Amino acid sequence: MVEWIELFISFFVANVLGYGGGPASIPLMYDEVVTRRAWLSDMDFSNMLALGNALPGPIATKIAAFVGYGVSGWAGFTSALAATVIPSAAALILLLKLLQKYRTSPVVKGMTLLVQPVIAIMMVTLTWQMGKSSMVSIGTIQTLGIAAVAFWAMNIRKIHPALVIVAAFAYGAIVLSHMV
């Protein structure tokens, strides 16, 4: 199959099934990009995700653009981005009309509440997979130290996550590059 078609299908599936936006679709994208298609390694996906989170805008479109261009140039870029944006935009318009009409329905309220634990489990799974890869590449002490400092910086000191990500990049460039 032509790569740009595979890109379209992969990102279409990840975005259509990723109810809740970027956080919900990232684990599905990871599965398509790393596990099923091997377009990126685990480490490359982690780095791309960290950089994408540091940049403004929706994470799903940045992942699609990066992977699409890397796999198949401008055709892949366009295909992956279209598969990410068009279905979501169309579904958003339709669902907003339906939700507005049935916003007081207990069924709609129940569906919304039931999806939240699924998204949480998907995010925990993705975090676990990326954490394992980080522990293998830089070691357990470095991984746990970076995680602890990031937790402290964001939750205790209330430092913006983008600044924490930039600091982690700087740490990796200065300290970890000398370890290799």
Side-chain angles (χ1 to χ4, degrees), residues 14 24 104 137:
T104 58
S137 63

Side-chain angles (χ1 to χ4, degrees), residues 97-139:
K97 288 182 179 186
L98 281 173
L99 287 175
Q100 185 64 23
K101 185 176 180 180
Y102 298 107
R103 70 178 175 261
T104 58
S105 166
V107 173
V108 171
K109 288 179 182 178
M111 286 176 17
T112 304
L113 290 174
L114 290 175
V115 169
Q116 292 173 353
V118 173
I119 293 170
I121 290 170
M122 290 170 63
M123 291 304 292
V124 166
T125 302
L126 178 64
T127 302
W128 178 256
Q129 290 170 337
M130 293 178 134
K132 283 192 326 189
S133 132
S134 180
M135 287 185 190
V136 168
S137 63
I138 65 172

Side-chain angles (χ1 to χ4, degrees), residues 14-15 29 39-40 56 59-60 82 86 98 116 119 124-125 136 147 161 168 177:
N15 284 288
M29 287 181 186
W39 286 324
L40 292 178
I59 188 68
I86 293 171
L98 281 173
Q116 292 173 353
I119 293 170
V124 166
T125 302
V136 168
S177 64

Side-chain angles (χ1 to χ4, degrees), residues 24-40:
S25 60
I26 290 170
L28 298 171
M29 287 181 186
Y30 174 89
D31 185 58
E32 287 290 327
V33 170
V34 176
T35 308
R36 294 188 72 224
R37 308 284 186 179
W39 286 324
L40 292 178

Side-chain angles (χ1 to χ4, degrees), residues 46-59 62 160-169:
S46 298
N47 290 337
M48 183 243 342
L49 182 60
L51 181 60
N53 276 319
L55 298 171
I59 188 68
K62 290 179 277 189
H160 193 279
L163 296 175
V164 175
I165 291 169
V166 169
F169 270 133

